[in-house]
Amino acid sequence: MAQAYAAETGSGGTGPDRRGSRLRRLYVTLRTDRGVWRRGIVLAALAVILALVMLLHARIPNTYGNLGSLTETFLPWLGMVFIPLLLILALVRRSATALIALLVPLVVWLNLFGGLFGDKTAPGGDLTVATHNVNAGNPDPAKTARDVAASGADVLALEELTRTSQYEEALKPWYRYHSVQGTVGLWSKYPLSDVRTVNIEMGWTRAMRATVATPYGQVAVYVAHMPSVRVKMASGFTARQRDNSADALGETIKSEPLPRVILLGDLNGTMNDRSLNAITSQMRSTQGAAGSGFGFSWPASFPMARIDQIMVKGVDPVSSWTLPRTGSDHLPIAARVKVTTS
């Protein structure tokens, strides 16, 4: 019995000797099997190209079909989809060259987005804000309104309003003050003043501005719903009207006299999209500064991009998060900010 036990251990053990023999075999293979290095040259080239696309995305021109903006809208997915795919192919091909080359796009992707995975949320803050594109075809506006109000938001922005009266009735128990301008609205627990529409060059009202008199000081709050964008085979990423509206809104915010500014809304673009630079260059994203993860908000069924934004200037983000799904095709988002900054 003792001899049988010893024999079994020697032939099938998983101890240090066994692991060492595997490493030795791998080392010998890498030294002697030249095919390990010759195979997968195309995969290695694709890995380098992927890294260059992510690294130099700002240099991809928008001349045809806004290709640069389209790439930047889904930039995180270039790594999340193609790096695992290339890894699988490299393993199938048993290519050491492809595996080593894959480190290049991995490092680039981590440099771009790795910081988002740390939890930057913090306690505190003195104002909770939220925004939600409620969807014009929402089957239950009242329930959607109640669900978002349950987040505890002191200031709430809604976009794509059609059945306004149902939202007004549902939100009445939570908010004493509100204003609806066109298809966007602002609800607040604190008094509103200097309410006016904002011209974003669309021909109808989809943006507004109001002064919110919080207990910690006045804050200029903007609500905006940028024009929709489409991906078409013939014309590419059609975003010209969105881009023009973003420029107009950026100029308005730039001339805002109050030092504390919050922008809530559906911008139909991500923070990576250069076409929103008129806005993003002067404001901070609460998700990027105080969130955890990407905070994707659209589409609600399988979120792939954060096109709904909470951005601030002269206000400190403390935490940022995505709210549970409602009857809309967007997810609502919220943030906690500190108005009484130094």
Side-chain angles (χ1 to χ4, degrees), residues 54 75-85 109 117 294 296 304:
M54 292 190 293
L75 191 61
W77 291 95
L78 291 181
M80 291 192 292
V81 172
F82 291 110
I83 290 177
L85 177 61
W109 191 90
F117 290 94
F294 289 101
F296 293 149
M304 297 181 65

Side-chain angles (χ1 to χ4, degrees), residues 156-315:
L156 169 65
L158 299 181
E159 304 86 47
E160 208 165 297
L161 293 169
T162 51
R163 290 167 284 179
T164 304
S165 60
Q166 297 186 44
Y167 290 99
E168 290 175 326
E169 186 63 29
L171 292 172
K172 189 181 298 184
W174 280 276
Y175 302 98
R176 182 176 178 182
Y177 309 95
H178 85 279
S179 176
V180 175
Q181 306 290 328
T183 58
V184 297
L186 184 65
W187 279 259
S188 173
K189 296 179 179 179
Y190 308 120
L192 302 177
S193 62
D194 197 13
V195 179
R196 59 177 183 268
T197 62
V198 174
N199 180 15
I200 56 172
E201 301 182 358
M202 290 190 63
W204 67 94
T205 301
R206 286 196 3 178
M208 63 176 290
R209 179 248 184 241
T211 298
V212 180
T214 78
Y216 317 100
Q218 291 188 330
V219 180
V221 177
Y222 286 80
V223 183
H225 183 192
M226 296 289 103
S228 299
V229 297
R230 298 287 185 270
V231 181
K232 300 179 180 179
M233 292 299 295
S235 52
F237 192 56
T238 57
R240 185 176 300 276
Q241 189 178 26
R242 190 278 313 270
D243 299 348
N244 293 337
S245 293
D247 290 342
L249 180 60
E251 285 299 316
T252 301
I253 293 175
K254 186 177 181 180
S255 60
E256 169 60 48
L258 290 180
R260 303 185 185 101
V261 184
I262 298 176
L263 170 61
L264 307 167
D266 174 6
L267 302 190
N268 270 309
T270 68
M271 293 296 295
N272 295 314
D273 191 339
R274 75 193 70 172
S275 296
L276 300 183
N277 189 58
I279 301 171
T280 57
S281 63
Q282 59 178 316
M283 306 189 78
R284 301 171 67 192
S285 163
T286 59
Q287 184 65 25
S292 176
F294 289 101
F296 293 149
S297 64
W298 178 88
S301 56
F302 187 80
M304 297 181 65
R306 185 179 176 89
I307 62 175
D308 301 275
Q309 306 290 351
I310 299 176
M311 305 186 68
V312 298
K313 180 168 68 171
V315 173

